[in-house]
Amino acid sequence: MPRKEITSGNWAFAEAMRQIDPDVVAAYPITPSTDIIMKFAEFVANGKVETNFVTVESEHSAITACVTASAAGARVMTASSANGVALMHEIFPIAGCFRTPIVFGLVNRSVGAPINIHCDHSDSMGQRDLGWIHLYCEDAQEAYDSAIMAVRLSENNDVLTPVFVCQDGFITSHGFEPVEYLDDETVKNFVGEREPLNSLLDVDNPVSYGSFAMSEYYFEIKRQQIEANKKALELYDGIAKEYEAVSGRYYPMIDCYRTEDADHVIVIMSSASGAVKDVVDEMRDKGHKVGCLRIRMFRPFPKEAVAAALKGKKAVAVLDRCLSLGGTAPLVAEVRSALYASGEMIPTNSCIYGLGGRDFFPQYAEDIFMDLINGKISPEERYIGLLE
Amino acid sequence: MSDCKNWKEMKDVGKPKKWQDVPMGGIAYGASAENVETGQWRSIRPVWNEEECISCMLCWVQCPDRSITTDENGKVTGIDYFYCKGCGICAHVCPKKAIEMRPEADFA
């Protein structure tokens, strides 16, 4: 029987880890993801899991241990945030290329400096092109559910790509809300046993990882990773529907909230989409045809689905909780590219919000919608809630 | 995705002709150091003098590869040039100077 608890995003993710009972967890704590590993360490200490829990001296070592354990055929999970994620940077593309599935609880926090513990997406966005799948969760329930689904996606032998399950630091990770947990048996059956290809521990079929690939084959191996991303896009929905069958909750790659007949749409990710959806309801009541498109899967980017959801809109605003200093913020760059490629020349405002945990108020969403409605469209970046 | 997912399929594939032929993630199937001819790297060659050798096994211990060959009684029998990279550690540690490093050119 499913049970409901008042809990946090971090504890919900840790509970998913307990139920998944991974073979190996190697981790090093950093705020705000520390809580995940603290809670999981408690499960280890109390004999609630059979996991080999490896405590290491840095995030670089943590992710290295995860990659090698996964290459050995283990089911592997870990968690980190911010500069911890940044320290893992060198190893992420190796995990991607070695095709070592890992489910990673990434609790989004701004990358210093200035040092700051609060949420923005600069940590995960710094890792966006390294061959990892990125899922961005709106709330604690979704973080829990995504952890379980991510195991299946990551370990699928046509995908074999590590997954970041992102949730907003403090807002989701430390906020308490009701979360419905599946029973242990259901989770166990859903995730099944990993059937590794090319396990280092399969001594009858020996393999070597980490071989040299110069100009002759490097490109071909990258092409295989592109294929794995295409497969992830193709297979994701089947896994989400299977999960719906056991949980009653369905998480599409993109969450279209009242967008179908909308003229004006805000595109956003993670927790702030809740405020936008509320504003959509209020403005709908006043007769404005507005909607919210929440991007849940950022890598691989579901560009066709995004273009289809925005087709024919009068104008959209894309809200990034991250900068690309000197360039175009990551989400708006993807959305504009998807629209251009599909022949949709829709005016697009680019809005930066929430850096370093700056609050995002419903009034901001309303102002952004009103700019779209009043034709205040311009190519320059806008800064929401900035002192100016 | 590589079509070539396991080492058994690899045996007759030969040189990859398309991206699908390349082993996934650059993994080397069926490979182990045992099959890798690191001797190709060698520019100087250790030459073992059986007369001087006392089989103290210092060279065997210090060899970073598996290039010092022994018999069933634990006596040194020579150098395996398939593996020997020519690092010269064996010659350096030999208390009897029973190993001499000579340029590969001498053997061309």
Side-chain angles (χ1 to χ4, degrees):
Chain A
M1 275 291 286
R3 67 203 148 86
K4 222 168 216 184
E5 274 182 26
I6 301 294
T7 192
S8 70
N10 273 344
W11 286 7
F13 192 90
E15 178 65 5
M17 288 174 78
R18 183 191 66 74
Q19 294 180 310
I20 291 163
D21 196 357
D23 300 311
V24 174
V25 169
Y28 188 85
I30 183 169
T31 297
S33 63
T34 306
D35 234 7
I36 292 177
I37 298 306
M38 274 172 66
K39 196 76 184 164
F40 188 74
E42 216 174 282
F43 295 140
V44 174
N46 293 334
K48 305 287 185 197
V49 288
E50 287 176 36
T51 304
N52 185 352
F53 180 51
V54 190
T55 52
V56 288
E57 77 285 10
S58 76
E59 286 88 354
H60 191 279
S61 302
I63 192 65
T64 303
C66 288
V67 172
T68 49
S70 183
R75 173 167 287 162
V76 182
M77 296 183 80
T78 189
S80 193
S81 294
N83 291 52
V85 169
L87 185 56
M88 293 174 168
H89 181 81
E90 187 196 10
I91 305 301
F92 286 145
I94 298 174
C97 173
F98 282 6
R99 314 297 293 281
T100 45
I102 297 165
V103 175
F104 189 120
L106 198 157
V107 184
N108 283 118
R109 163 185 159 184
S110 56
V111 169
I115 190 166
N116 173 307
I117 58 168
H118 285 288
C119 176
D120 67 36
H121 299 160
S122 52
D123 51 0
S124 55
M125 285 301 169
Q127 319 304 329
R128 69 183 167 163
D129 297 327
L130 305 180
W132 284 60
I133 293 166
H134 288 224
L135 302 174
Y136 288 82
C137 303
E138 182 175 344
D139 54 24
Q141 180 73 62
E142 189 175 333
Y144 167 80
D145 292 326
S146 297
I148 297 164
M149 278 187 279
V151 173
R152 290 280 304 279
L153 183 62
S154 187
E155 292 179 4
N156 183 294
N157 280 341
D158 284 327
V159 177
L160 291 178
T161 298
V163 180
F164 291 127
V165 177
C166 303
Q167 57 173 302
D168 280 350
F170 290 104
I171 302 163
T172 308
S173 69
H174 287 64
F176 274 63
E177 55 186 311
V179 174
E180 189 177 288
Y181 292 140
L182 300 174
D183 60 74
D184 292 2
E185 205 55 28
T186 305
V187 175
K188 201 176 159 193
N189 291 336
F190 186 82
V191 295
E193 286 284 319
R194 183 178 167 198
E195 287 167 20
L197 283 177
N198 307 317
S199 160
L200 278 175
L201 293 180
D202 182 359
V203 290
D204 295 328
N205 301 295
V207 292
S208 298
Y209 276 79
S211 52
F212 214 47
M214 294 289 273
S215 39
E216 297 95 331
Y217 300 125
Y218 182 94
F219 205 167
E220 282 67 26
I221 291 164
K222 290 292 138 189
R223 176 64 183 84
Q224 292 170 7
Q225 287 184 254
I226 294 168
E227 198 65 12
N229 270 271
K230 288 184 180 173
K231 284 284 179 189
L233 265 186
E234 199 179 303
L235 297 171
Y236 171 81
D237 203 52
I239 295 168
K241 290 213 166 92
E242 248 185 83
Y243 190 74
E244 183 186 20
V246 298
S247 70
R249 292 180 293 274
Y250 173 58
Y251 297 97
M253 291 182 280
I254 58 169
D255 167 14
C256 300
Y257 188 78
R258 305 185 81 166
T259 55
E260 204 155 309
D261 65 335
D263 291 330
H264 301 98
V265 173
I266 284 180
V267 183
I268 194 166
M269 302 199 299
S270 298
S271 67
S273 50
V276 175
K277 288 172 180 177
D278 255 8
V279 170
V280 165
D281 289 344
E282 285 169 16
M283 292 183 69
R284 284 269 177 177
D285 290 345
K286 293 177 199 158
H288 297 293
K289 287 168 82 176
V290 292
C292 175
L293 174 62
R294 180 173 70 91
I295 308 296
R296 176 172 142 73
M297 186 186 267
F298 183 77
R299 282 287 180 274
F301 193 76
K303 51 190 167 192
E304 279 155 27
V306 169
L310 296 177
K311 189 175 164 55
K313 303 303 172 205
K314 287 182 181 160
V316 301
V318 182
L319 273 61
D320 274 275
R321 196 163 199 151
C322 176
L323 289 170
S324 172
L325 286 164
T328 306
L331 184 57
V332 71
E334 292 294 342
V335 171
R336 280 181 180 153
S337 166
L339 291 174
Y340 186 87
S342 72
E344 290 287 322
M345 299 299 128
I346 299 170
T348 306
N349 278 346
S350 165
C351 306
I352 306 294
Y353 78 100
L355 299 190
R358 176 63 47 88
D359 279 327
F360 181 78
F361 296 108
Q363 185 60 48
Y364 294 158
E366 194 176 334
D367 294 345
I368 292 163
F369 274 130
M370 288 318 294
D371 278 354
L372 296 180
I373 290 164
N374 296 327
K376 288 187 187 160
I377 314 282
S378 54
E380 80 276 0
E381 229 165 43
R382 292 148 189 248
Y383 306 105
I384 309 305
L386 177 75
L387 300 174
E388 59 182 340
Chain B
M1 177 62 59
S2 175
D3 290 342
C4 195
K5 281 183 191 159
N6 81 55
W7 73 284
K8 283 177 196 131
E9 293 168 12
M10 259 309 277
K11 282 188 172 164
D12 303 314
V13 168
K15 213 171 158 69
K17 290 180 186 63
K18 53 185 196 303
W19 63 267
Q20 291 94 335
D21 296 341
V22 177
M24 185 169 63
I27 291 157
Y29 295 106
S32 81
E34 197 158 33
N35 302 327
V36 180
E37 191 183 349
T38 45
Q40 289 176 352
W41 307 0
R42 194 175 56 246
S43 62
I44 49 171
R45 176 185 296 201
V47 178
W48 174 64
N49 181 345
E50 190 173 0
E51 311 289 296
E52 292 295 321
C53 177
I54 56 169
S55 283
C56 67
M57 309 311 277
L58 276 176
C59 58
W60 183 84
V61 170
Q62 297 285 340
C63 176
D65 210 299
R66 202 178 71 178
S67 310
I68 308 295
T69 56
T70 56
D71 63 16
E72 62 276 15
N73 302 316
K75 300 279 185 200
V76 173
T77 57
I79 290 161
D80 189 337
Y81 294 118
F82 185 83
Y83 298 125
C84 173
K85 306 180 187 78
C87 71
I89 290 175
C90 54
H92 186 76
V93 299
C94 180
K96 301 297 285 182
K97 300 201 187 316
I99 298 174
E100 184 195 355
M101 299 305 294
R102 289 175 54 191
E104 275 297 318
D106 290 359
F107 304 92

